[in-house]
Amino acid sequence: MLKDITLGQFFPGDSILHKLDPRTKIILTLLYITSIFLATSVSGYIYIMLYTGLLVFISRIPIKIIVKGLRPLIVIIAFTAIINILWTKGEVLMVDFYFINIYLEGIMYALLMIIRITSLLAGTSVILTYTTSPIALTDGLERLLAPLKSIHLPVHEFAMMMTIALRFIPTLIEETDKIMNAQKARGADFSTGSLTKRAKALIPILIPLFISAFRRADELSTAMECRCYRGGDNRTRMTVLRMRPADFITIALLAMSCIITILLNINFPIYKI
Amino acid sequence: MASIELKNVSYIYGENTPFEKKALDNINVRFESGRISGLIGHTGSGKSTLVQLLNGLLKPCSGSILIDGRDIWEFPKKIRDIRFRVGLVFQYPEYQLFEESVYKDIAFGPVNMGLDKDEIDRRVRDAIVFCGLSDDLLKKSPFELSGGQKRRVAIAGIIAMEPEVLILDEPAAGLDPMGREEILGGVWSYQRRNNSTVILVSHSMEDMARYSDNIVVMSDSRIYMTGACSEIFKHADKLVSVGLDVPQITRLIHILIKRGIDIRDDIFTIEAAKDEIMKLIRQKQKGGFPEC
């Protein structure tokens, strides 16, 4: 049913990665992505695999969950790999079958692509989405983007909108479930018939859902005004984000890691692409 | 009219996941035909799960649900027909209204049943009368109505399907005393006229005492007690121990008995209590003890 959908992949825990400041983790993600795209040699790729593995290990997220998160992308990964195998031209011909020519370089390149995509996904999800609650994430974004306030971008308002939207996703799912059941009890049928018939069958769900969403929004805004909310100016926070030594150390470590990938490219170009 | 029975029914949410939660544990209960059965229990005792099992919205993990002795899951593809036979009014049903007119909204169920136009028209008009609303509301948008009227329109939407078993989950929640009276009174007269089987879920012991013939008490995913109102409300301490209560008037009677006044102990409506107390007073006056 609808309840089985996991929105936001936050996986509560107590690891070092969980405890880092969300701002740190956003910066780490950027650094991590940079270093993945910097790697161009086999040794660089091996290095990236190793430290992605290390990140997964210290996050203490079960491997099963990470694999499950990668599953929807199998098609894309497989597609990229096949394209690479078939269309890369190189020197060492492996298969020569009519119009299909597969070169060793193609296979190599496909493999490296697979590593790149999987570690990109596993790494960013471990650093950011699995270990940071959505609310902490918007908080971190708001603080990181704070300088943009000087050019009159409503950063706080955007963050507040995002927080509220995230907060109401489970509520709306629950509501949809309820309305669906109520209409099913009146004989509504969502799963059979032609496409137009099925689209029409959604009306009895969508209209009540929209109405209740608007009603909720109205009530929430009244409730916020009753508590004197009037936007971001001079607003203090309940949990103030604070960068601790651990945050700076991790950033430094990942920056170093970036440099190591570059060095590996230059010094050990075992297989240069 | 139909009786509905649960045999060894268990239901577990999220079976075989870390979030597994047992909602019903080996339930055996029978709702007699032509009666209003009350279903009470503290929050989270499994009432809502139970009513959703009765019309096939949920499928039991084990056990079977029988209407007139036949398993409702005998033909899983025909489960929609069961939903027409067992009408379920959810909590706050007014949030399910969606059509542009009251008429169309009430007709939604009958249209899904595939009835012809005249039959639909008859049923909509009957249903609106049962719910105590006037004919000229039919053309209005359901969103223009008051809260109590919306609720009644939503109930009419189920009644128009003319189900053999009518289940109402907290039909009077959040209404003022007048609204409660109108809705529950409407259900009561509907049941008396059609002699249908009604299951009423409520938290209000007063409503239960007034409108139901027998009561099923649930606690912690199990059936705790079943019986006629008079039977159930005798066991005030047992009800209190599972987070429920007896009607206030019954509590008063129990206190009177404790003080040594000779009065019947199966009184649970104000009317009955009034009659009984007046009788006592008259007796005492005759006997020469004008105490009051």
Side-chain angles (χ1 to χ4, degrees):
Chain A
M1 262 330 282
L2 278 170
K3 271 177 199 154
D4 304 330
I5 300 170
T6 47
L7 274 149
Q9 301 165 301
F10 180 50
F11 193 90
D14 202 22
S15 72
I16 307 166
L17 279 176
H18 281 92
K19 282 183 195 148
L20 287 178
D21 189 292
R23 283 171 294 176
T24 313
K25 285 191 269 189
I26 295 169
I27 297 168
L28 288 185
T29 313
L30 295 176
L31 279 172
Y32 177 78
I33 294 171
T34 322
S35 66
I36 281 186
F37 284 103
L38 281 173
T40 52
S41 68
V42 171
S43 49
Y45 273 93
I46 291 171
Y47 175 70
I48 279 173
M49 269 171 75
L50 284 178
Y51 90 70
T52 307
L54 186 73
L55 282 173
V56 171
F57 177 73
I58 61 172
S59 73
R60 291 178 194 270
I61 306 280
I63 301 285
K64 231 164 89 186
I65 289 191
I66 293 169
V67 172
K68 212 171 143 197
L70 290 173
R71 206 177 289 158
L73 289 140
I74 282 177
V75 184
I76 295 174
I77 294 172
F79 184 73
T80 330
I82 290 167
I83 295 271
N84 273 307
I85 288 174
L86 293 181
W87 269 273
T88 311
K89 297 255 181 300
E91 283 156 15
V92 192
L93 192 62
M94 299 285 283
V95 180
D96 189 3
F97 181 74
Y98 295 106
F99 56 93
I100 299 174
N101 300 308
I102 296 174
Y103 296 89
L104 181 63
E105 286 85 349
I107 295 172
M108 214 51 198
Y109 204 81
L111 236 122
L112 294 183
M113 265 330 237
I114 293 173
I115 294 172
R116 184 181 269 187
I117 298 174
T118 44
S119 31
L120 190 69
L121 284 165
T124 48
S125 54
V126 160
I127 300 173
L128 207 61
T129 47
Y130 279 133
T131 54
T132 322
S133 76
I135 299 297
L137 198 63
T138 42
D139 249 17
L141 265 177
E142 185 185 346
R143 288 295 300 275
L144 272 181
L145 298 178
L148 295 180
K149 271 184 197 160
S150 56
I151 56 166
H152 297 295
L153 266 179
V155 175
H156 168 80
E157 279 70 16
F158 279 134
M160 183 54 104
M161 274 156 66
M162 226 161 111
T163 312
I164 290 171
L166 287 169
R167 152 69 184 81
F168 277 97
I169 287 170
T171 315
L172 284 177
I173 289 178
E174 201 179 301
E175 189 99 11
T176 316
D177 224 29
K178 261 192 207 156
I179 295 169
M180 270 173 86
N181 273 339
Q183 306 298 26
K184 268 195 213 158
R186 298 210 277 166
D189 184 7
F190 309 117
S191 48
T192 58
S194 65
L195 203 64
T196 39
K197 207 182 148 202
R198 275 193 227 184
K200 264 190 193 157
L202 288 180
I203 295 173
I205 303 174
L206 290 180
I207 291 178
L209 191 62
F210 270 105
I211 289 167
S212 79
F214 283 127
R215 188 173 43 85
R216 256 178 231 289
D218 205 38
E219 280 167 8
L220 180 70
S221 64
T222 313
M224 281 168 81
E225 260 176 11
C226 287
R227 294 201 260 165
C228 300
Y229 177 81
R230 51 187 178 82
D233 299 333
N234 304 324
R235 201 174 148 74
T236 53
R237 327 193 123 258
M238 185 156 144
T239 44
V240 180
L241 294 179
R242 230 173 234 132
M243 299 282 264
R244 280 166 308 169
D247 291 293
F248 294 110
I249 293 167
T250 10
I251 291 180
L253 281 177
L254 251 121
M256 247 159 73
S257 184
C258 256
I259 297 165
I260 292 173
T261 5
I262 299 171
L263 288 177
L264 282 172
N265 287 340
I266 301 165
N267 292 338
F268 305 97
I270 301 171
Y271 193 92
K272 185 98 176 141
I273 297 161
Chain B
M1 286 293 128
S3 72
I4 194 161
E5 190 178 358
L6 287 91
K7 270 196 175 158
N8 308 322
V9 168
S10 295
Y11 191 82
I12 302 162
Y13 283 104
E15 207 176 5
N16 302 325
T17 67
F19 310 103
E20 198 172 281
K21 193 184 170 291
K22 198 156 210 168
L24 293 178
D25 188 9
N26 198 24
I27 299 278
N28 282 294
V29 70
R30 187 183 161 86
F31 297 99
E32 292 297 338
S33 68
R35 296 272 182 85
I36 298 187
S37 304
L39 181 59
I40 53 176
H42 56 85
T43 317
S45 59
K47 299 180 303 258
S48 294
T49 312
L50 191 130
V51 296
Q52 289 186 49
L53 281 164
L54 290 179
N55 79 338
L57 280 173
L58 299 175
K59 194 175 176 177
C61 294
S62 64
S64 50
I65 296 147
L66 311 169
I67 298 182
D68 286 337
R70 294 196 67 174
D71 193 337
I72 64 167
W73 287 98
E74 194 179 348
F75 307 106
K77 291 205 167 147
K78 300 244 167 163
I79 197 67
R80 215 156 77 103
D81 297 341
I82 298 298
R83 294 189 191 140
F84 297 133
R85 293 178 64 193
V86 182
L88 171 57
V89 179
F90 276 91
Q91 249 179 61
Y92 300 101
E94 56 270 33
Y95 295 138
Q96 72 187 34
L97 300 173
F98 68 98
E99 277 286 8
E100 52 198 283
S101 71
V102 170
Y103 184 95
K104 278 188 172 175
D105 212 292
I106 297 175
F108 182 68
V111 168
N112 284 330
M113 293 170 86
L115 299 171
D116 64 58
K117 228 179 158 191
D118 295 337
E119 178 66 10
I120 292 173
D121 192 67
R122 182 192 67 77
R123 288 189 173 201
V124 171
R125 286 178 198 285
D126 278 1
I128 198 99
V129 172
F130 272 134
C131 296
L133 296 168
S134 71
D135 262 15
D136 43 300
L137 277 181
L138 286 173
K139 283 193 202 98
K140 274 195 174 176
S141 158
F143 304 108
E144 290 170 26
L145 307 180
S146 73
Q149 283 176 324
K150 275 189 201 166
R151 174 94 42 109
R152 274 182 279 169
V153 167
I155 294 174
I158 301 290
I159 284 180
M161 304 196 309
E162 300 190 347
E164 294 160 55
V165 182
L166 178 66
I167 309 170
L168 299 111
D169 192 352
E170 290 269 4
L175 292 182
D176 54 34
M178 222 5 203
R180 295 185 83 83
E181 181 71 39
E182 278 170 355
I183 288 207
L184 293 168
V187 169
W188 190 82
S189 52
Y190 167 82
Q191 193 273 337
R192 284 297 179 260
R193 229 179 297 179
N194 295 36
N195 197 30
S196 56
T197 312
V198 172
I199 301 171
L200 197 61
V201 180
S202 177
H203 271 122
S204 158
M205 300 303 139
E206 272 75 16
D207 291 349
M208 281 290 147
R210 239 178 119 177
Y211 294 106
S212 57
D213 301 315
N214 5 11
I215 291 182
V216 175
V217 186
M218 290 189 71
S219 170
D220 289 326
S221 319
R222 289 163 189 273
I223 301 289
Y224 186 67
M225 279 196 275
T226 54
C229 281
S230 49
E231 285 299 307
I232 298 290
F233 288 137
K234 264 184 204 164
H235 306 290
D237 40 341
K238 270 175 115 178
L239 285 171
V240 170
S241 75
V242 293
L244 297 167
D245 209 344
V246 292
Q248 288 188 342
I249 195 72
T250 310
R251 240 192 290 169
L252 175 74
I253 300 289
H254 286 307
I255 292 169
L256 288 179
I257 292 170
K258 244 183 225 164
R259 296 233 177 132
I261 292 170
D262 183 26
I263 193 166
R264 278 166 46 204
D265 66 348
D266 58 348
I267 293 163
F268 37 83
T269 61
I270 293 176
E271 285 78 10
K274 190 188 92 185
D275 291 348
E276 206 57 27
I277 290 169
M278 289 308 285
K279 212 159 74 190
L280 274 181
I281 291 170
R282 268 188 226 109
Q283 270 174 10
K284 288 203 171 172
Q285 279 171 339
K286 269 188 208 154
F289 301 100
E291 275 174 44
C292 297

